Amino acid sequence: MASLNDFRRLGDDVRNWGRWGDDDELGTLNFITVEKVAQAAGLVRHGKVFSLGVDFGSSGPQGAFQYRPNPIHVMTVDGGDAETLVKYGPDWFKNTVAQQLSGYFVDNPFRFNDDMVIMPLQAATQWDALSHVYYDDKLYNGFPANSVTSLGAFHCGIDKVDPKGITTRGVLLDLVRHRGAQTFLEHGKPITPEELDEVARAQDVTVERGDVVLIHTGWWARFLENRDGTEPYSGLDWRCASWLHDHEIAAVAADNLMVEDPVSGIEGTILPLHMLCLRDMGLMLGEYWDLTALSADCAADGVYEFQLIAPPLRFTGAVGSPVNPIAIK
Ligand code: UVW
């Protein structure tokens, strides 16, 4: 087991603070240049589109952690209101909402439906913003941790990503195939930097500056079988921070709940890779990405690179965002 000193040493090695200026809030997304965007577009050869987003609904992966429920979907207007609630609804409804709606629904063929969702922004397929995780009272690039307030993140929020978006070359590293696993990487064997290199070599793909690397662990396929959002798995070891740093990638995403291995590997802290990536490197993490169909296609044609389009939603001051990432080959 490594120590907090080992962790801090690696933090010093991979820290990107000041690399793109003292006011930078994009972090490693700065590696995505216009040339990179153009290169990625050139990878589209067959028009095959893969949606990497999962369903946002009541049977999603949340619930096991009490602070994160699954999305709650509420209809705020539906066409049935025209036939029933406008006529028979309670007085408060008739005197307020119905008065407005009757303008649309009475003596008028027009009908409409509206809805809303209440959910943690971390509920399903998501990006962690750089302000999601910190330590020693500092966010990425040295911004004070108390700049994330009850009104939201004034630094490193997900809204800081939007001007640049996330459109780049994606590279899939298929750990399931590499380990010959049945469905998913069972708990107990964290993925090491050396193994990431082995997988890339075996797939004959290079990981380059500005790429988003997708780690296929099979966890999402497993979740669809047993609906157990707490199923332990093997994820990236904390030492992979060096690998992600050395390859100058733009971001990393996986098909499991945390990207990193559930076993910390550092005595005295949980989630060291989150801290090294988000706070020290300024590298965003994508979680709960569905890589099943994409990995099957990559195995079939031997092509593990593609155009990836995955812009977060622009929630002001939010520390994360749902996303529906698209891979195109
Ligand atoms: C935390 O880091 C707390 O959560 P997540 O794994 O969703 O990023």
PDB file of all heavy atoms in Angstrom, residues 190-222:
ATOM      1  N   PRO A 190      -6.545  -4.113 -10.193  1.00  0.00           N
ATOM      2  CA  PRO A 190      -6.575  -2.765 -10.789  1.00  0.00           C
ATOM      3  C   PRO A 190      -5.782  -2.695 -12.094  1.00  0.00           C
ATOM      4  O   PRO A 190      -4.806  -3.424 -12.281  1.00  0.00           O
ATOM      5  CB  PRO A 190      -5.930  -1.891  -9.709  1.00  0.00           C
ATOM      6  CG  PRO A 190      -6.005  -2.672  -8.444  1.00  0.00           C
ATOM      7  CD  PRO A 190      -6.007  -4.125  -8.828  1.00  0.00           C
ATOM      8  N   ILE A 191      -6.224  -1.828 -12.974  1.00  0.00           N
ATOM      9  CA  ILE A 191      -5.561  -1.643 -14.273  1.00  0.00           C
ATOM     10  C   ILE A 191      -4.328  -0.761 -14.062  1.00  0.00           C
ATOM     11  O   ILE A 191      -4.429   0.337 -13.501  1.00  0.00           O
ATOM     12  CB  ILE A 191      -6.535  -0.956 -15.256  1.00  0.00           C
ATOM     13  CG1 ILE A 191      -7.808  -1.796 -15.423  1.00  0.00           C
ATOM     14  CG2 ILE A 191      -5.868  -0.693 -16.600  1.00  0.00           C
ATOM     15  CD1 ILE A 191      -8.998  -1.009 -15.985  1.00  0.00           C
ATOM     16  N   THR A 192      -3.187  -1.238 -14.524  1.00  0.00           N
ATOM     17  CA  THR A 192      -1.933  -0.505 -14.322  1.00  0.00           C
ATOM     18  C   THR A 192      -1.553   0.277 -15.585  1.00  0.00           C
ATOM     19  O   THR A 192      -2.045  -0.030 -16.681  1.00  0.00           O
ATOM     20  CB  THR A 192      -0.784  -1.490 -14.014  1.00  0.00           C
ATOM     21  OG1 THR A 192      -0.631  -2.346 -15.157  1.00  0.00           O
ATOM     22  CG2 THR A 192      -1.078  -2.319 -12.770  1.00  0.00           C
ATOM     23  N   PRO A 193      -0.631   1.224 -15.447  1.00  0.00           N
ATOM     24  CA  PRO A 193      -0.147   1.944 -16.644  1.00  0.00           C
ATOM     25  C   PRO A 193       0.467   0.987 -17.661  1.00  0.00           C
ATOM     26  O   PRO A 193       0.269   1.140 -18.873  1.00  0.00           O
ATOM     27  CB  PRO A 193       0.918   2.893 -16.092  1.00  0.00           C
ATOM     28  CG  PRO A 193       0.652   2.998 -14.629  1.00  0.00           C
ATOM     29  CD  PRO A 193      -0.058   1.759 -14.203  1.00  0.00           C
ATOM     30  N   GLU A 194       1.184  -0.020 -17.161  1.00  0.00           N
ATOM     31  CA  GLU A 194       1.832  -0.978 -18.069  1.00  0.00           C
ATOM     32  C   GLU A 194       0.773  -1.723 -18.890  1.00  0.00           C
ATOM     33  O   GLU A 194       0.946  -1.979 -20.082  1.00  0.00           O
ATOM     34  CB  GLU A 194       2.671  -2.005 -17.281  1.00  0.00           C
ATOM     35  CG  GLU A 194       3.872  -1.431 -16.540  1.00  0.00           C
ATOM     36  CD  GLU A 194       3.494  -0.636 -15.287  1.00  0.00           C
ATOM     37  OE1 GLU A 194       2.427  -0.918 -14.694  1.00  0.00           O
ATOM     38  OE2 GLU A 194       4.263   0.285 -14.904  1.00  0.00           O
ATOM     39  N   GLU A 195      -0.336  -2.050 -18.231  1.00  0.00           N
ATOM     40  CA  GLU A 195      -1.391  -2.777 -18.943  1.00  0.00           C
ATOM     41  C   GLU A 195      -2.046  -1.887 -20.003  1.00  0.00           C
ATOM     42  O   GLU A 195      -2.401  -2.350 -21.093  1.00  0.00           O
ATOM     43  CB  GLU A 195      -2.439  -3.293 -17.937  1.00  0.00           C
ATOM     44  CG  GLU A 195      -3.367  -4.333 -18.548  1.00  0.00           C
ATOM     45  CD  GLU A 195      -4.336  -4.939 -17.543  1.00  0.00           C
ATOM     46  OE1 GLU A 195      -4.447  -4.427 -16.409  1.00  0.00           O
ATOM     47  OE2 GLU A 195      -5.003  -5.924 -17.914  1.00  0.00           O
ATOM     48  N   LEU A 196      -2.171  -0.604 -19.716  1.00  0.00           N
ATOM     49  CA  LEU A 196      -2.736   0.310 -20.729  1.00  0.00           C
ATOM     50  C   LEU A 196      -1.849   0.304 -21.975  1.00  0.00           C
ATOM     51  O   LEU A 196      -2.347   0.277 -23.106  1.00  0.00           O
ATOM     52  CB  LEU A 196      -2.860   1.723 -20.158  1.00  0.00           C
ATOM     53  CG  LEU A 196      -3.889   1.921 -19.027  1.00  0.00           C
ATOM     54  CD1 LEU A 196      -3.856   3.360 -18.515  1.00  0.00           C
ATOM     55  CD2 LEU A 196      -5.298   1.551 -19.490  1.00  0.00           C
ATOM     56  N   ASP A 197      -0.521   0.312 -21.752  1.00  0.00           N
ATOM     57  CA  ASP A 197       0.406   0.252 -22.891  1.00  0.00           C
ATOM     58  C   ASP A 197       0.259  -1.057 -23.655  1.00  0.00           C
ATOM     59  O   ASP A 197       0.251  -1.074 -24.894  1.00  0.00           O
ATOM     60  CB  ASP A 197       1.856   0.403 -22.408  1.00  0.00           C
ATOM     61  CG  ASP A 197       2.219   1.857 -22.164  1.00  0.00           C
ATOM     62  OD1 ASP A 197       1.636   2.746 -22.826  1.00  0.00           O
ATOM     63  OD2 ASP A 197       3.071   2.116 -21.298  1.00  0.00           O
ATOM     64  N   GLU A 198       0.164  -2.149 -22.893  1.00  0.00           N
ATOM     65  CA  GLU A 198       0.002  -3.475 -23.535  1.00  0.00           C
ATOM     66  C   GLU A 198      -1.248  -3.511 -24.413  1.00  0.00           C
ATOM     67  O   GLU A 198      -1.221  -4.027 -25.521  1.00  0.00           O
ATOM     68  CB  GLU A 198      -0.203  -4.556 -22.460  1.00  0.00           C
ATOM     69  CG  GLU A 198       1.032  -5.149 -21.885  1.00  0.00           C
ATOM     70  CD  GLU A 198       0.669  -5.994 -20.647  1.00  0.00           C
ATOM     71  OE1 GLU A 198      -0.448  -6.571 -20.617  1.00  0.00           O
ATOM     72  OE2 GLU A 198       1.488  -6.028 -19.725  1.00  0.00           O
ATOM     73  N   VAL A 199      -2.349  -2.981 -23.887  1.00  0.00           N
ATOM     74  CA  VAL A 199      -3.616  -3.014 -24.635  1.00  0.00           C
ATOM     75  C   VAL A 199      -3.483  -2.195 -25.919  1.00  0.00           C
ATOM     76  O   VAL A 199      -3.870  -2.643 -27.008  1.00  0.00           O
ATOM     77  CB  VAL A 199      -4.794  -2.492 -23.775  1.00  0.00           C
ATOM     78  CG1 VAL A 199      -6.080  -2.458 -24.585  1.00  0.00           C
ATOM     79  CG2 VAL A 199      -4.965  -3.349 -22.540  1.00  0.00           C
ATOM     80  N   ALA A 200      -2.895  -1.016 -25.791  1.00  0.00           N
ATOM     81  CA  ALA A 200      -2.739  -0.165 -26.977  1.00  0.00           C
ATOM     82  C   ALA A 200      -1.880  -0.878 -28.026  1.00  0.00           C
ATOM     83  O   ALA A 200      -2.204  -0.868 -29.230  1.00  0.00           O
ATOM     84  CB  ALA A 200      -2.111   1.171 -26.575  1.00  0.00           C
ATOM     85  N   ARG A 201      -0.810  -1.522 -27.562  1.00  0.00           N
ATOM     86  CA  ARG A 201       0.070  -2.262 -28.494  1.00  0.00           C
ATOM     87  C   ARG A 201      -0.704  -3.390 -29.162  1.00  0.00           C
ATOM     88  O   ARG A 201      -0.666  -3.556 -30.382  1.00  0.00           O
ATOM     89  CB  ARG A 201       1.269  -2.831 -27.734  1.00  0.00           C
ATOM     90  CG  ARG A 201       2.567  -2.063 -27.978  1.00  0.00           C
ATOM     91  CD  ARG A 201       3.810  -2.836 -27.543  1.00  0.00           C
ATOM     92  NE  ARG A 201       3.707  -3.459 -26.241  1.00  0.00           N
ATOM     93  CZ  ARG A 201       3.951  -2.838 -25.090  1.00  0.00           C
ATOM     94  NH1 ARG A 201       4.304  -1.571 -25.077  1.00  0.00           N
ATOM     95  NH2 ARG A 201       3.863  -3.486 -23.939  1.00  0.00           N
ATOM     96  N   ALA A 202      -1.432  -4.148 -28.334  1.00  0.00           N
ATOM     97  CA  ALA A 202      -2.174  -5.305 -28.878  1.00  0.00           C
ATOM     98  C   ALA A 202      -3.221  -4.845 -29.893  1.00  0.00           C
ATOM     99  O   ALA A 202      -3.519  -5.553 -30.860  1.00  0.00           O
ATOM    100  CB  ALA A 202      -2.835  -6.070 -27.745  1.00  0.00           C
ATOM    101  N   GLN A 203      -3.774  -3.675 -29.677  1.00  0.00           N
ATOM    102  CA  GLN A 203      -4.820  -3.158 -30.599  1.00  0.00           C
ATOM    103  C   GLN A 203      -4.213  -2.383 -31.767  1.00  0.00           C
ATOM    104  O   GLN A 203      -4.936  -1.879 -32.624  1.00  0.00           O
ATOM    105  CB  GLN A 203      -5.756  -2.224 -29.824  1.00  0.00           C
ATOM    106  CG  GLN A 203      -6.597  -2.919 -28.777  1.00  0.00           C
ATOM    107  CD  GLN A 203      -7.498  -1.955 -28.006  1.00  0.00           C
ATOM    108  OE1 GLN A 203      -8.215  -2.372 -27.131  1.00  0.00           O
ATOM    109  NE2 GLN A 203      -7.448  -0.673 -28.330  1.00  0.00           N
ATOM    110  N   ASP A 204      -2.874  -2.221 -31.735  1.00  0.00           N
ATOM    111  CA  ASP A 204      -2.172  -1.489 -32.785  1.00  0.00           C
ATOM    112  C   ASP A 204      -2.712  -0.056 -32.925  1.00  0.00           C
ATOM    113  O   ASP A 204      -2.977   0.424 -34.024  1.00  0.00           O
ATOM    114  CB  ASP A 204      -2.300  -2.246 -34.115  1.00  0.00           C
ATOM    115  CG  ASP A 204      -1.272  -1.762 -35.128  1.00  0.00           C
ATOM    116  OD1 ASP A 204      -0.260  -1.180 -34.687  1.00  0.00           O
ATOM    117  OD2 ASP A 204      -1.498  -1.937 -36.344  1.00  0.00           O
ATOM    118  N   VAL A 205      -2.882   0.588 -31.792  1.00  0.00           N
ATOM    119  CA  VAL A 205      -3.352   1.974 -31.809  1.00  0.00           C
ATOM    120  C   VAL A 205      -2.430   2.799 -30.911  1.00  0.00           C
ATOM    121  O   VAL A 205      -1.940   2.297 -29.891  1.00  0.00           O
ATOM    122  CB  VAL A 205      -4.822   2.059 -31.326  1.00  0.00           C
ATOM    123  CG1 VAL A 205      -4.994   1.741 -29.851  1.00  0.00           C
ATOM    124  CG2 VAL A 205      -5.432   3.425 -31.639  1.00  0.00           C
ATOM    125  N   THR A 206      -2.154   4.038 -31.319  1.00  0.00           N
ATOM    126  CA  THR A 206      -1.338   4.903 -30.465  1.00  0.00           C
ATOM    127  C   THR A 206      -2.258   5.913 -29.776  1.00  0.00           C
ATOM    128  O   THR A 206      -3.242   6.365 -30.357  1.00  0.00           O
ATOM    129  CB  THR A 206      -0.286   5.682 -31.287  1.00  0.00           C
ATOM    130  OG1 THR A 206      -0.970   6.357 -32.347  1.00  0.00           O
ATOM    131  CG2 THR A 206       0.772   4.761 -31.851  1.00  0.00           C
ATOM    132  N   VAL A 207      -1.898   6.236 -28.558  1.00  0.00           N
ATOM    133  CA  VAL A 207      -2.661   7.248 -27.830  1.00  0.00           C
ATOM    134  C   VAL A 207      -1.880   8.550 -27.965  1.00  0.00           C
ATOM    135  O   VAL A 207      -0.683   8.604 -27.686  1.00  0.00           O
ATOM    136  CB  VAL A 207      -2.828   6.843 -26.351  1.00  0.00           C
ATOM    137  CG1 VAL A 207      -3.470   7.960 -25.555  1.00  0.00           C
ATOM    138  CG2 VAL A 207      -3.657   5.561 -26.261  1.00  0.00           C
ATOM    139  N   GLU A 208      -2.584   9.582 -28.452  1.00  0.00           N
ATOM    140  CA  GLU A 208      -1.886  10.821 -28.809  1.00  0.00           C
ATOM    141  C   GLU A 208      -2.407  12.013 -28.024  1.00  0.00           C
ATOM    142  O   GLU A 208      -3.495  11.956 -27.445  1.00  0.00           O
ATOM    143  CB  GLU A 208      -2.080  11.072 -30.316  1.00  0.00           C
ATOM    144  CG  GLU A 208      -1.452   9.977 -31.165  1.00  0.00           C
ATOM    145  CD  GLU A 208      -1.945   9.996 -32.611  1.00  0.00           C
ATOM    146  OE1 GLU A 208      -2.650  10.960 -32.987  1.00  0.00           O
ATOM    147  OE2 GLU A 208      -1.630   9.049 -33.340  1.00  0.00           O
ATOM    148  N   ARG A 209      -1.643  13.088 -28.092  1.00  0.00           N
ATOM    149  CA  ARG A 209      -2.030  14.332 -27.424  1.00  0.00           C
ATOM    150  C   ARG A 209      -3.438  14.778 -27.886  1.00  0.00           C
ATOM    151  O   ARG A 209      -3.726  14.781 -29.081  1.00  0.00           O
ATOM    152  CB  ARG A 209      -1.017  15.423 -27.771  1.00  0.00           C
ATOM    153  CG  ARG A 209      -1.415  16.778 -27.197  1.00  0.00           C
ATOM    154  CD  ARG A 209      -0.499  17.850 -27.676  1.00  0.00           C
ATOM    155  NE  ARG A 209       0.815  17.724 -27.061  1.00  0.00           N
ATOM    156  CZ  ARG A 209       1.796  18.613 -27.225  1.00  0.00           C
ATOM    157  NH1 ARG A 209       1.607  19.657 -28.005  1.00  0.00           N
ATOM    158  NH2 ARG A 209       2.943  18.445 -26.635  1.00  0.00           N
ATOM    159  N   GLY A 210      -4.248  15.132 -26.907  1.00  0.00           N
ATOM    160  CA  GLY A 210      -5.575  15.661 -27.231  1.00  0.00           C
ATOM    161  C   GLY A 210      -6.653  14.608 -27.399  1.00  0.00           C
ATOM    162  O   GLY A 210      -7.820  14.941 -27.632  1.00  0.00           O
ATOM    163  N   ASP A 211      -6.282  13.311 -27.314  1.00  0.00           N
ATOM    164  CA  ASP A 211      -7.299  12.249 -27.415  1.00  0.00           C
ATOM    165  C   ASP A 211      -8.158  12.202 -26.149  1.00  0.00           C
ATOM    166  O   ASP A 211      -7.698  12.566 -25.058  1.00  0.00           O
ATOM    167  CB  ASP A 211      -6.635  10.863 -27.535  1.00  0.00           C
ATOM    168  CG  ASP A 211      -5.913  10.662 -28.857  1.00  0.00           C
ATOM    169  OD1 ASP A 211      -6.142  11.458 -29.784  1.00  0.00           O
ATOM    170  OD2 ASP A 211      -5.120   9.702 -28.942  1.00  0.00           O
ATOM    171  N   VAL A 212      -9.368  11.685 -26.298  1.00  0.00           N
ATOM    172  CA  VAL A 212     -10.132  11.231 -25.138  1.00  0.00           C
ATOM    173  C   VAL A 212     -10.033   9.708 -25.142  1.00  0.00           C
ATOM    174  O   VAL A 212     -10.350   9.064 -26.149  1.00  0.00           O
ATOM    175  CB  VAL A 212     -11.599  11.692 -25.188  1.00  0.00           C
ATOM    176  CG1 VAL A 212     -12.417  11.002 -24.093  1.00  0.00           C
ATOM    177  CG2 VAL A 212     -11.691  13.205 -25.017  1.00  0.00           C
ATOM    178  N   VAL A 213      -9.554   9.146 -24.039  1.00  0.00           N
ATOM    179  CA  VAL A 213      -9.361   7.698 -23.954  1.00  0.00           C
ATOM    180  C   VAL A 213     -10.558   7.072 -23.234  1.00  0.00           C
ATOM    181  O   VAL A 213     -10.962   7.530 -22.161  1.00  0.00           O
ATOM    182  CB  VAL A 213      -8.046   7.371 -23.210  1.00  0.00           C
ATOM    183  CG1 VAL A 213      -7.903   5.869 -22.984  1.00  0.00           C
ATOM    184  CG2 VAL A 213      -6.852   7.890 -24.014  1.00  0.00           C
ATOM    185  N   LEU A 214     -11.129   6.042 -23.865  1.00  0.00           N
ATOM    186  CA  LEU A 214     -12.290   5.349 -23.302  1.00  0.00           C
ATOM    187  C   LEU A 214     -11.849   3.963 -22.812  1.00  0.00           C
ATOM    188  O   LEU A 214     -11.287   3.176 -23.592  1.00  0.00           O
ATOM    189  CB  LEU A 214     -13.386   5.192 -24.358  1.00  0.00           C
ATOM    190  CG  LEU A 214     -13.806   6.477 -25.100  1.00  0.00           C
ATOM    191  CD1 LEU A 214     -14.978   6.183 -26.048  1.00  0.00           C
ATOM    192  CD2 LEU A 214     -14.190   7.572 -24.112  1.00  0.00           C
ATOM    193  N   ILE A 215     -12.100   3.691 -21.555  1.00  0.00           N
ATOM    194  CA  ILE A 215     -11.661   2.433 -20.941  1.00  0.00           C
ATOM    195  C   ILE A 215     -12.863   1.488 -20.843  1.00  0.00           C
ATOM    196  O   ILE A 215     -13.801   1.749 -20.086  1.00  0.00           O
ATOM    197  CB  ILE A 215     -11.102   2.683 -19.512  1.00  0.00           C
ATOM    198  CG1 ILE A 215     -10.027   3.780 -19.522  1.00  0.00           C
ATOM    199  CG2 ILE A 215     -10.594   1.391 -18.888  1.00  0.00           C
ATOM    200  CD1 ILE A 215      -8.725   3.389 -20.164  1.00  0.00           C
ATOM    201  N   HIS A 216     -12.808   0.399 -21.611  1.00  0.00           N
ATOM    202  CA  HIS A 216     -13.917  -0.572 -21.580  1.00  0.00           C
ATOM    203  C   HIS A 216     -13.625  -1.632 -20.516  1.00  0.00           C
ATOM    204  O   HIS A 216     -12.710  -2.430 -20.657  1.00  0.00           O
ATOM    205  CB  HIS A 216     -14.065  -1.232 -22.961  1.00  0.00           C
ATOM    206  CG  HIS A 216     -15.163  -2.236 -23.026  1.00  0.00           C
ATOM    207  ND1 HIS A 216     -15.026  -3.474 -23.612  1.00  0.00           N
ATOM    208  CD2 HIS A 216     -16.444  -2.193 -22.560  1.00  0.00           C
ATOM    209  CE1 HIS A 216     -16.167  -4.131 -23.519  1.00  0.00           C
ATOM    210  NE2 HIS A 216     -17.040  -3.382 -22.879  1.00  0.00           N
ATOM    211  N   THR A 217     -14.447  -1.614 -19.443  1.00  0.00           N
ATOM    212  CA  THR A 217     -14.275  -2.594 -18.355  1.00  0.00           C
ATOM    213  C   THR A 217     -15.430  -3.586 -18.305  1.00  0.00           C
ATOM    214  O   THR A 217     -15.401  -4.508 -17.495  1.00  0.00           O
ATOM    215  CB  THR A 217     -14.213  -1.893 -16.978  1.00  0.00           C
ATOM    216  OG1 THR A 217     -15.524  -1.399 -16.647  1.00  0.00           O
ATOM    217  CG2 THR A 217     -13.217  -0.749 -16.961  1.00  0.00           C
ATOM    218  N   GLY A 218     -16.484  -3.331 -19.091  1.00  0.00           N
ATOM    219  CA  GLY A 218     -17.635  -4.235 -19.102  1.00  0.00           C
ATOM    220  C   GLY A 218     -18.609  -4.024 -17.949  1.00  0.00           C
ATOM    221  O   GLY A 218     -19.624  -4.721 -17.849  1.00  0.00           O
ATOM    222  N   TRP A 219     -18.331  -3.040 -17.092  1.00  0.00           N
ATOM    223  CA  TRP A 219     -19.186  -2.854 -15.899  1.00  0.00           C
ATOM    224  C   TRP A 219     -20.612  -2.509 -16.300  1.00  0.00           C
ATOM    225  O   TRP A 219     -21.560  -2.985 -15.676  1.00  0.00           O
ATOM    226  CB  TRP A 219     -18.605  -1.764 -14.994  1.00  0.00           C
ATOM    227  CG  TRP A 219     -19.304  -1.683 -13.658  1.00  0.00           C
ATOM    228  CD1 TRP A 219     -18.971  -2.366 -12.528  1.00  0.00           C
ATOM    229  CD2 TRP A 219     -20.444  -0.889 -13.320  1.00  0.00           C
ATOM    230  NE1 TRP A 219     -19.843  -2.053 -11.512  1.00  0.00           N
ATOM    231  CE2 TRP A 219     -20.756  -1.150 -11.970  1.00  0.00           C
ATOM    232  CE3 TRP A 219     -21.243   0.013 -14.029  1.00  0.00           C
ATOM    233  CZ2 TRP A 219     -21.822  -0.536 -11.309  1.00  0.00           C
ATOM    234  CZ3 TRP A 219     -22.314   0.610 -13.376  1.00  0.00           C
ATOM    235  CH2 TRP A 219     -22.593   0.335 -12.028  1.00  0.00           C
ATOM    236  N   TRP A 220     -20.779  -1.700 -17.337  1.00  0.00           N
ATOM    237  CA  TRP A 220     -22.142  -1.299 -17.695  1.00  0.00           C
ATOM    238  C   TRP A 220     -22.962  -2.506 -18.181  1.00  0.00           C
ATOM    239  O   TRP A 220     -24.131  -2.669 -17.814  1.00  0.00           O
ATOM    240  CB  TRP A 220     -22.165  -0.168 -18.731  1.00  0.00           C
ATOM    241  CG  TRP A 220     -23.572   0.274 -18.947  1.00  0.00           C
ATOM    242  CD1 TRP A 220     -24.370   0.007 -20.015  1.00  0.00           C
ATOM    243  CD2 TRP A 220     -24.394   0.983 -18.005  1.00  0.00           C
ATOM    244  NE1 TRP A 220     -25.642   0.502 -19.811  1.00  0.00           N
ATOM    245  CE2 TRP A 220     -25.672   1.113 -18.574  1.00  0.00           C
ATOM    246  CE3 TRP A 220     -24.166   1.515 -16.734  1.00  0.00           C
ATOM    247  CZ2 TRP A 220     -26.727   1.761 -17.931  1.00  0.00           C
ATOM    248  CZ3 TRP A 220     -25.213   2.156 -16.087  1.00  0.00           C
ATOM    249  CH2 TRP A 220     -26.473   2.274 -16.684  1.00  0.00           C
ATOM    250  N   ALA A 221     -22.333  -3.389 -18.969  1.00  0.00           N
ATOM    251  CA  ALA A 221     -23.037  -4.591 -19.436  1.00  0.00           C
ATOM    252  C   ALA A 221     -23.430  -5.443 -18.233  1.00  0.00           C
ATOM    253  O   ALA A 221     -24.530  -6.006 -18.178  1.00  0.00           O
ATOM    254  CB  ALA A 221     -22.143  -5.387 -20.380  1.00  0.00           C
ATOM    255  N   ARG A 222     -22.547  -5.527 -17.263  1.00  0.00           N
ATOM    256  CA  ARG A 222     -22.827  -6.274 -16.039  1.00  0.00           C
ATOM    257  C   ARG A 222     -24.004  -5.639 -15.288  1.00  0.00           C
ATOM    258  O   ARG A 222     -24.898  -6.331 -14.809  1.00  0.00           O
ATOM    259  CB  ARG A 222     -21.567  -6.276 -15.174  1.00  0.00           C
ATOM    260  CG  ARG A 222     -21.739  -6.833 -13.810  1.00  0.00           C
ATOM    261  CD  ARG A 222     -21.896  -8.331 -13.870  1.00  0.00           C
ATOM    262  NE  ARG A 222     -21.856  -8.910 -12.555  1.00  0.00           N
ATOM    263  CZ  ARG A 222     -22.099 -10.180 -12.315  1.00  0.00           C
ATOM    264  NH1 ARG A 222     -22.388 -10.992 -13.298  1.00  0.00           N
ATOM    265  NH2 ARG A 222     -22.043 -10.649 -11.092  1.00  0.00           N
TER     266      ARG A 222
END
